């Protein structure tokens, strides 16, 4: 299947590439100056600021030769001097985000000074150009909201996860889990595609990438048919920075922090009229200590202990290296090919100390200390190739992508537990354990998209995407033979789990605009294959007896689904630059279980609390409706929406007593994902962007939702109905002496389900920055979680036990960051971005 797809793509690209070659190409003047050449000079300035425009492009098009025969760029003073053969030319003067000026039929017979040109800003193109923004703006499209992250001081020296936590509708919990409108089933894309940079389904990788790499985040709550149907909550598409400025430019960033946090990254770019080289290099070392507290009371009189209190302190030392390099080459003025490679290597060294106090009748009868040392080394890389040809300037184009990713992770864990206090006489010592885990992951993607404009206001799209994933996890458990202190392999736990997920999808969509009304209709056909093989010494019957439910050690399940999408927008203002609009969206989505949801062999991170996958779990399906409203005044922008989602066979994590006990008589509690019947979610959200003065910017959002779950598992009803909410407020104040002060506050309300009640969480971030070195550098100080209050507190209640938990994934962090920019023309671009808010024009881009 893969060979067929690849061969088809190659033939398809060759055919369209030959068809798409335009007659007019921008070719650099590689000929040496001859006696017939004359010198053309002049200067180019920004009409509004009167600043010189460096790297503006001047090209000379000969109608007689039907091509561009000469060209050049301006220097730092906006001046140019270009040798040109004598003749008659159409002269074009261009600069990114400015309107092009043209001098037609200019006869050149001698050295000529063309004079000074003042270029006007092209407001329509600003949203397509990378600029260093000073504030977050919002753009409303037919199928998404676009948040230009801007210069968020609180995330300087931070990570992609930190930046996402400041995006309206999005929240990142204390363990790095990402949710959209309170729903954790979010699809994460990088530049519109799955990527090794986002991990193989593991969002924790996003906590290892620098926030400075982000240009904008697209919050897609009503995805069009072009997107993968995965993610019942919607899609977060992270767009990374890619410089468009001609010449050599980039930035260097250094960060130091406490707890230990040291990072160094560089973004380097070199662009000419013919090609663009872009690269990113980074290193980060950090210590992220965390802590956890559990207080469990058992209701079963047969257990050895009535109450167990566990306190865990974890020291996490991490080193991460990442590098990416790519090149975009212009085959012609309308055709380009881009290749890139990304590599990441990480080392984690974690040490966990767990103190366990065990009570009977209110008295401590036993104390133990569990030590767990874990070393993890892993890397992943990605190769990507993108081809695009534009048949005309109206949007008629073909794009194709080929992407391959490979990741390998090796983990060794040593576990030892000792008695500190016990009332037992000659107690049997605990077994020491060695755990060896190796995981090999591969993923390939083939995608082709075709766009055909129909008239001025309509567009047809069609395409194919094939996504093929495979992971092989080799798990070996060695346990101590306490009679001679040697180790043996536990064959009942050791296993190899081979898991494959293949998705083939075809889509088509049509959009049009008439008057103030626009719509986009789409249909996506997806076939999902979930295939797994469990290699274990136990047979199916023994596995069923061990795990308590039927086990299929070699399964191959296929799911074929249709996923319609409807997106409507009505412009209430009656103007092209809409200031008021209403949107309505409907889409059907799928939630596919990940490999760790399916692997039935339990984790060994705790003897008494384990996570166990469920190989019988199947995908969940959801239908979602979204009604939105946008109103923009001169200094105020309001966005609000009401949404409803109905999900069938939804996933729910259930905690239950396994009926098994540890060697010292403690009940073993497992958490297992299951398909419950339905999950209904209703909510509303609104956001406000308010800039009352040039020196003050305010950004706030509020999200309130209600969810209702119906279903039972193992004879227990897990139905629940609850409401929750979260809100954030960000303010930025520009002080004298080019100092900025930013404050971010976030609160997530209490929530509950059938077994758990979780308290609300409040956190406060504070940051200051100052421009130095003639505005070419920024030094910033930020404190994340100033009050050290980002802690999760929850209570779990079942018929067998109740457990109070308090955990803190990362404590207060203080960072000092220094960024140096070169050839980025920062001051001018900052001011321009403050002029605009975004647009509501029809956008069919996926």
């Amino acid at each position: 299947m893969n060979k067929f797809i690849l061969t088809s793509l190659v033939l398809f690209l060759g055919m369209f590439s030959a068809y798409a070659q335009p007659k007019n190409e921008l070719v650099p003047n590689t000929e040496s100056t001859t006696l017939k050449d004359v010198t053309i000079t002049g200067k180019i300035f920004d009409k509004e600021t009167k600043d010189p425009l460096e790297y503006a492009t001047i090209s000379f098009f000969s109608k007689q030769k039907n091509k561009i025969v000469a060209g050049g760029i301006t220097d730092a003073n906006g001046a140019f001097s270009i040798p040109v053969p004598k003749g008659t030319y159409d002269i074009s003067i261009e600069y990114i985000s400015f309107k092009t000026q043209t001098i037609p039929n200019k006869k050149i017979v001698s050295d000529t000074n063309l004079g000074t040109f003042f270029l006007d800003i092209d407001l329509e193109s600003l949203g397509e150009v990378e600029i260093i923004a000073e504030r977050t703006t919002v753009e409303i499209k037919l199928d998404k909201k676009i948040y230009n992250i801007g210069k968020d001081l609180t995330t300087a020296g931070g990570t992609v996860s930190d930046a996402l936590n400041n995006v309206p509708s999005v929240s990142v919990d204390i363990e790095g889990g990402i949710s959209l409108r309170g729903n954790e089933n979010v699809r994460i894309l990088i530049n519109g595609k799955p990527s090794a940079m986002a991990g193989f389904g593991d969002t924790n990788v996003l906590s290892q990438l620098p926030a400075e790499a982000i240009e904008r985040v697209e919050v897609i709550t009503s995805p069009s048919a072009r997107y993968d149907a995965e993610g019942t909550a919607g899609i977060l598409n992270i767009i990374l920075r890619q410089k468009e400025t001609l010449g050599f430019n980039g930035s260097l960033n250094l960060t130091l922090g406490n707890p230990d946090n040291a990072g160094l990254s560089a973004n380097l770019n070199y662009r000419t009229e013919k090609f663009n080289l872009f690269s990113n290099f980074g290193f980060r070392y950090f210590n992220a200590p965390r802590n956890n507290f559990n207080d469990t009371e058992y209701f079963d009189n047969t257990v050895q202990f009535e109450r167990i209190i566990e306190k865990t302190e974890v020291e996490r030392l991490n080193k991460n290296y990442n590098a990416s390099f790519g090149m975009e080459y212009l085959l012609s003025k309308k055709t380009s090919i881009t290749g890139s490679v990304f590599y990441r290597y990480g080392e984690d060294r974690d040490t966990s100390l767990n103190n366990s106090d065990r009570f009977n009748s209110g008295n401590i009868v036993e104390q133990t200390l569990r030590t767990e040392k874990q070393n993890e080394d892993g890397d992943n890389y990605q190769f990507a190739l993108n081809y695009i040809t534009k048949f005309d300037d109206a949007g008629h184009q073909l794009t194709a992508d080929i992407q391959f990713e490979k990741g390998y992770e090796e983990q060794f864990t040593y576990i030892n537990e000792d008695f500190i206090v016990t009332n037992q006489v000659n107690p049997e010592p605990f077994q020491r354990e060695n755990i060896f885990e190796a995981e090999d992951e591969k993923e390939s993607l083939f995608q082709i998209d075709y766009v055909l404009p129909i008239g001025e206001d309509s567009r047809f799209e069609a395409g194919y995407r094939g996504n093929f994933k495979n992971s092989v996890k080799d798990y070996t458990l060695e346990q101590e033979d306490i009679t001679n202190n040697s180790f043996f392999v536990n064959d009942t736990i050791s296993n190899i789990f081979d898991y494959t997920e293949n998705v083939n999808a075809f889509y088509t969509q049509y959009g049009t605009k008439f008057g103030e009304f626009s719509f986009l209709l789409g249909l996506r056909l997806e076939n999902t294959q979930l295939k797994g093989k469990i290699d274990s010494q136990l047979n199916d019957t023994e596995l069923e007896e061990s795990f308590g439910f039927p086990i299929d050690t070699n399964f191959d399940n296929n799911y074929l689904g249709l996923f319609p999408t409807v997106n409507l927008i009505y412009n209430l203002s009656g103007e092209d630059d809409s200031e008021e609009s209403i949107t309505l969206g409907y889409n059907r989505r799928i939630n596919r279980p990940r490999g760790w949801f399916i692997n039935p062999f339990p984790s060994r991170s705790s003897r008494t609390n384990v996570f166990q996958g469920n190989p019988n779990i199947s995908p969940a399906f959801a239908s979602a409706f979204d009604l939105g409203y946008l109103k923009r005044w001169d200094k105020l922008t309001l966005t609000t929406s009401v949404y409803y989602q109905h999900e069938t066979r939804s996933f729910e994590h259930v905690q239950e007593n396994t009926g098994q006990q540890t060697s010292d008589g403690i009940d073993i509690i497992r958490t297992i994902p299951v398909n419950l019947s339905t999950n209904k979610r209703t909510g509303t959200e609104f956001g406000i962007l308010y800039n009352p003065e040039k020196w003050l910017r305010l950004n706030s959002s509020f999200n309130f939702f209600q969810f209702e779950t119906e279903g039972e598992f193992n004879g227990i009803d897990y139905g629940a109905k609850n409401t929750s909410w979260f809100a954030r407020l960000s303010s930025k104040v520009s002080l004298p002496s080019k100092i900025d002060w930013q404050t971010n506050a976030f609160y997530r309300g209490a929530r509950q389900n059938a077994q758990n009640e979780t308290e609300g969480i409040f956190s406060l971030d504070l940051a200051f920055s100052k421009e130095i070195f003639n505005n070419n550098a920024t030094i910033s100080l930020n404190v994340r979680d100033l009050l050290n209050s980002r802690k999760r507190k929850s209570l779990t209640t079942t018929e067998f036990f109740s457990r109070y938990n308090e955990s803190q994934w990362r404590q207060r962090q203080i960072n000092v960051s220094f960024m140096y920019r070169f050839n980025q023309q920062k001051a001018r671009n900052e001011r321009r971005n403050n002029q605009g808010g975004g647009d509501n024009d029809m956008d069919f881009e996926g």
Side-chain angles (χ1 to χ4, degrees):
M1 179 67 177
N2 293 359
K3 291 182 179 179
F4 171 76
I5 295 171
L6 182 58
T7 303
S8 301
L9 280 175
V10 172
L11 294 175
F12 203 35
L13 294 179
M15 178 182 68
F16 275 93
S17 178
Y19 172 78
Q21 298 300 322
K23 296 180 180 179
N24 303 332
E25 299 185 7
L26 179 61
V27 180
N29 184 19
T30 56
E31 302 176 3
S32 59
T33 304
T34 69
L35 294 176
K36 296 182 180 180
D37 290 350
V38 295
T39 301
I40 306 301
T41 58
K43 291 185 178 182
I44 301 175
F45 288 84
D46 182 333
K47 183 176 181 179
E48 182 177 345
T49 66
K50 305 302 186 290
D51 293 331
L53 294 179
E54 185 180 7
Y55 299 116
T57 304
I58 305 92
S59 56
F60 296 80
F61 175 78
S62 171
K63 293 183 178 179
Q64 181 181 4
K65 296 183 178 181
N66 197 29
K67 67 176 183 178
I68 295 174
V69 299
I73 59 176
T74 56
D75 59 20
N77 297 316
F80 61 87
S81 178
I82 304 171
V84 180
K86 295 179 181 179
T88 301
Y89 301 98
D90 289 340
I91 304 174
S92 294
I93 299 167
E94 301 176 87
Y95 191 79
I96 292 176
S97 79
F98 283 76
K99 294 181 179 178
T100 299
Q101 286 193 21
T102 303
I103 305 174
N105 298 317
K106 178 68 175 180
K107 188 173 183 179
I108 303 294
V109 294
S110 62
D111 293 347
T112 304
N113 185 342
L114 296 178
T116 301
F117 298 87
F118 293 94
L119 301 188
D120 290 309
I121 300 170
D122 186 355
L123 294 177
E124 293 182 359
S125 69
L126 280 179
E128 303 173 359
V129 181
E130 192 281 328
I131 54 181
I132 302 173
E134 280 293 335
R135 65 186 177 100
T136 300
T137 60
V138 60
E139 301 175 41
I140 306 297
K141 303 297 184 181
L142 267 169
D143 57 351
K144 59 194 170 188
K145 295 178 183 177
I146 303 173
Y147 295 96
N148 299 299
I149 294 297
K151 184 184 173 186
D152 191 336
L153 306 181
T154 63
T155 63
T159 67
V160 170
S161 291
D162 297 321
L164 289 178
N165 206 36
N166 288 343
V167 174
S169 305
V170 180
S171 91
V172 182
D173 66 24
I174 62 173
E175 296 179 352
I178 298 171
S179 62
L180 178 60
R181 293 174 167 176
N183 188 341
E184 294 181 355
N185 183 227
V186 184
R187 179 67 160 163
I188 306 294
L189 302 178
I190 303 290
N191 294 333
K193 294 180 287 293
S195 173
M197 285 180 274
F200 291 89
D202 180 10
T203 57
N204 286 331
V205 174
L206 298 176
S207 66
Q208 301 168 6
L209 298 175
E212 288 78 15
I214 296 181
E215 176 181 339
R216 66 183 185 272
V217 175
E218 297 178 349
V219 179
I220 309 172
T221 53
S222 185
S224 68
R226 171 183 275 194
Y227 291 102
D228 185 358
E230 170 72 20
T232 55
I235 294 172
L236 291 180
N237 186 21
I238 301 170
I239 307 298
L240 302 181
R241 295 186 184 277
Q242 182 175 329
K243 304 300 180 187
E244 297 289 342
T245 306
L246 288 172
F248 182 62
N249 60 84
S251 64
L252 300 173
N253 191 9
L254 173 65
T255 298
L256 296 174
N258 180 57
D260 295 346
N261 182 27
L264 179 64
S265 64
N267 290 280
L268 305 175
N269 302 267
Y270 180 71
R271 187 179 186 92
T272 69
E273 292 91 344
K274 199 69 177 174
F275 65 86
N276 179 32
L277 297 174
F278 51 92
S279 61
N280 179 278
F281 306 93
F283 165 76
R284 187 177 182 224
Y285 168 84
F286 62 97
N287 176 17
R290 66 178 177 88
N291 57 77
N292 187 71
F293 174 83
N294 277 318
D295 185 350
T296 306
E297 293 190 53
Y298 295 92
F299 306 143
D300 188 349
N301 295 329
T302 64
V303 299
Q304 184 172 345
F305 305 105
E306 298 173 352
R307 182 185 182 190
I308 298 176
I309 295 178
E310 295 178 283
K311 299 177 182 177
T312 305
E313 300 286 339
V314 183
E315 180 183 72
R316 299 182 296 169
L317 301 178
N318 299 274
K319 293 180 182 178
N320 291 295
Y321 308 82
N322 65 79
S324 63
F325 179 80
M327 178 179 179
E328 177 189 16
Y329 184 75
L330 301 178
L331 299 174
S332 70
K333 195 172 183 180
K334 296 184 181 296
T335 303
S336 68
I337 187 168
T338 302
S340 64
V341 59
F342 167 80
Y343 178 77
R344 185 184 68 85
Y345 173 75
E347 295 180 357
D348 296 347
R349 301 292 181 262
D350 297 355
T351 301
S352 172
L353 298 178
N354 178 284
N355 289 278
S356 180
D357 297 339
R358 297 153 190 178
F359 297 81
N360 280 327
S361 301
N363 299 316
I364 293 180
V365 295
E366 194 168 272
Q367 285 182 315
T368 63
L369 174 63
R370 175 185 170 94
T371 302
E372 182 177 326
K373 295 183 178 180
Q374 186 178 92
N375 294 340
E376 181 180 310
D377 299 323
D379 62 0
N380 56 52
Y381 59 83
Q382 171 185 295
F383 297 101
L385 191 66
N386 168 266
Y387 170 90
I388 181 170
T389 185
K390 298 181 179 180
F391 304 121
D392 55 35
D393 294 329
H396 185 198
Q397 66 180 41
L398 172 78
T399 61
D401 291 275
I402 300 175
Q403 190 169 284
F404 176 76
E405 305 168 17
K406 180 175 175 57
Y408 182 77
E409 185 177 279
E410 199 170 57
Q411 187 180 94
F412 169 73
T413 306
Y414 167 77
I415 300 174
N416 181 47
E417 190 163 357
D418 294 309
F419 288 105
I420 305 301
V421 174
T422 181
N423 59 2
Q424 300 183 51
V425 179
N426 296 322
E428 181 177 337
F430 297 103
Q431 287 179 301
R432 289 179 297 166
E433 294 183 350
N434 293 325
I435 302 174
F436 301 89
E437 295 179 81
E439 188 167 13
D440 195 346
E441 299 175 288
K442 298 177 182 177
E443 183 171 349
S444 55
L445 177 142
F446 303 91
Q447 179 173 337
I448 189 164
D449 299 287
Y450 176 72
V451 180
L452 175 65
I454 303 175
E456 295 184 359
D457 297 323
S458 299
R459 180 182 295 185
F460 169 79
E461 295 185 47
Y464 162 82
R465 174 183 283 185
N467 215 76
F468 311 99
K469 305 177 186 178
N470 175 256
S471 67
V472 179
K473 186 170 185 177
D474 190 341
Y475 182 97
T476 302
L477 171 65
E478 290 185 348
Q479 292 180 303
E480 181 187 14
D481 184 342
I482 58 177
T483 61
N484 57 18
N485 296 328
S486 64
F487 285 83
F488 65 94
V489 175
N490 186 332
D491 290 332
T492 64
I493 297 296
S494 301
N495 68 94
I496 299 176
F497 183 52
D498 188 334
Y499 182 64
T500 297
E501 178 185 297
N502 296 327
V503 180
N504 286 282
F506 295 88
Y507 80 91
T508 182
Q509 61 184 27
Y510 174 78
T512 190
K513 178 179 181 180
F514 47 91
E516 309 305 327
F517 180 74
S518 306
F519 71 81
L520 179 62
L521 306 179
L523 184 64
R524 188 178 186 91
L525 173 67
E526 284 194 355
N527 177 256
T528 300
Q529 180 188 38
L530 303 180
K531 184 170 61 174
K533 182 179 180 181
I534 302 171
D535 186 358
S536 169
Q537 295 295 321
L538 302 180
N539 58 39
D540 290 4
T541 302
E542 291 171 327
L543 286 171
E544 181 176 344
E545 292 176 352
S546 176
F547 299 141
F549 47 78
I551 298 292
D552 187 352
T553 57
N554 191 359
F555 59 88
D556 188 349
N557 301 319
N558 280 269
Y559 305 90
L560 183 66
L562 282 172
F563 300 91
T565 63
V566 179
N567 288 293
L568 313 173
I569 186 169
Y570 183 71
N571 186 348
L572 296 172
S573 65
E575 301 174 3
D576 290 337
D577 56 343
S578 175
E579 297 295 331
E580 186 176 15
S581 63
I582 295 176
T583 59
L584 176 64
Y586 162 78
N587 64 94
R588 186 170 186 257
R589 313 290 295 163
I590 185 173
N591 182 7
R592 304 182 185 98
R594 295 292 176 247
W596 65 282
F597 266 46
I598 292 178
N599 191 344
F601 289 89
S603 65
R604 301 289 294 180
S605 59
S606 171
R607 295 190 307 119
T608 58
N609 300 288
V610 299
F611 179 87
Q612 186 174 2
N614 179 4
N616 302 314
I617 201 169
S618 60
F621 294 88
S623 294
F625 299 84
D626 188 287
L627 177 63
Y629 172 76
L630 167 72
K631 176 67 175 177
R632 183 181 294 117
W633 293 270
D634 182 35
K635 297 181 179 181
L636 177 68
T637 299
L638 169 68
T639 62
T640 183
S641 64
V642 178
Y643 55 89
Y644 171 77
Q645 180 186 91
H646 184 272
E647 184 175 357
T648 58
R649 300 190 62 78
S650 61
F651 302 159
E652 187 79 16
H653 287 87
V654 172
Q655 294 186 354
E656 60 179 11
N657 195 318
T658 62
Q660 302 174 357
Q661 293 185 337
T662 64
S663 59
D664 50 341
I666 303 175
D667 281 6
I668 298 177
I669 308 300
R670 74 175 174 191
T671 301
I672 183 172
V674 298
N675 288 114
L676 290 181
S677 296
T678 60
N679 189 323
K680 301 175 184 177
R681 183 180 296 267
T682 306
T684 182
E685 65 177 346
F686 70 86
I688 294 177
L689 300 172
Y690 183 43
N691 300 339
E693 303 290 343
K694 291 183 178 180
W695 53 269
L696 177 62
R697 303 181 183 100
L698 301 174
N699 179 3
S700 66
S701 63
F702 175 81
N703 196 306
F704 176 85
F705 54 91
Q706 178 186 80
F707 51 91
E708 181 178 357
T709 300
E710 298 176 355
E712 65 176 37
F713 179 71
N714 284 346
I716 299 177
D717 184 4
Y718 290 98
K721 185 176 182 180
N722 188 238
T723 59
S724 187
W725 60 280
F726 62 88
R728 56 168 48 87
L729 172 65
S730 176
S731 68
K732 187 174 181 183
V733 180
S734 297
L735 302 173
S737 302
K738 297 182 180 179
I739 297 175
D740 287 334
W741 166 23
Q742 183 172 332
T743 304
N744 285 0
F746 174 81
Y747 182 81
R748 186 173 64 195
R751 63 191 191 279
Q752 69 181 46
N753 59 24
Q755 293 184 322
N756 300 292
E757 297 180 14
T758 304
E759 296 183 13
I761 298 177
F762 174 78
S763 63
L764 183 67
D765 301 338
L766 193 65
F768 295 89
S769 76
K770 177 174 173 55
E771 301 299 316
I772 56 178
F773 298 158
N774 195 29
N775 291 337
N776 288 318
T778 304
I779 186 169
S780 60
L781 168 69
N782 64 55
V783 184
R784 291 200 291 273
D785 195 10
L786 177 67
L787 305 178
N788 204 36
S789 57
R790 196 170 174 80
K791 301 176 182 180
R792 182 175 63 187
K793 300 177 182 179
S794 64
L795 177 65
T796 301
T797 304
T798 74
E799 61 178 317
F800 299 105
F801 67 91
S802 69
R803 176 188 297 121
Y804 172 77
N805 172 264
E806 182 175 321
S807 57
Q808 184 176 27
W809 190 254
R810 186 176 64 182
Q811 64 188 46
R812 179 192 299 115
Q813 180 77 47
I814 303 174
N815 290 321
V816 176
S817 182
F818 173 80
M819 175 181 282
Y820 180 77
R821 302 168 293 272
F822 52 93
N823 295 341
Q824 290 192 18
Q825 310 253 341
K826 175 176 183 292
R828 183 178 65 248
N829 286 330
E830 286 176 351
R831 179 186 45 72
R832 286 198 192 102
N833 193 58
N834 285 337
Q835 296 177 354
D839 62 79
N840 295 315
D841 289 344
M842 187 173 185
D843 182 3
F844 298 125
E845 294 296 326

